[in-house]
Amino acid sequence: MNKYFNIQAEVVVNGLMKFRGLSRDKALELWTKSKTRQLIQEEYKMEHISGARCYDELLMEIENDPYWMKGQFD
């Protein structure tokens, strides 16, 4: 896996554990199965996106927020 994608994953998983109280396994499973990760890492290959942005987008996905994946990614 790309080193930038690993950094994104680390930030997201740690955020889910710290702020959502998930276990490492549950947090990793949520991230790896998410549409957010699929779009950012697999489909669009956005290495330049911060882990914090990935975390925010994942939360929007979970909450069915209409602004999910709508912001600029420049």
Side-chain angles (χ1 to χ4, degrees), residues 16-71:
L16 290 169
M17 290 169 49
K18 182 175 182 176
F19 301 114
R20 294 288 181 131
L22 273 67
S23 69
R24 179 167 295 281
D25 288 342
K26 291 289 184 187
L28 187 57
E29 179 180 4
L30 178 61
W31 173 242
T32 57
K33 292 183 176 182
S34 73
K35 183 73 174 167
T36 300
R37 189 198 64 77
Q38 180 185 351
L39 290 172
I40 290 173
Q41 293 187 346
E42 294 178 13
E43 191 168 330
Y44 300 123
K45 310 230 186 287
M46 293 189 273
E47 299 174 337
H48 63 285
I49 303 303
S50 73
R53 176 67 185 272
C54 293
Y55 178 76
D56 288 344
E57 292 294 338
L58 178 62
L59 293 182
M60 285 191 276
E61 176 187 356
I62 291 167
E63 296 166 1
N64 295 310
D65 189 308
Y67 291 103
W68 174 69
M69 297 298 288
K70 298 286 188 206

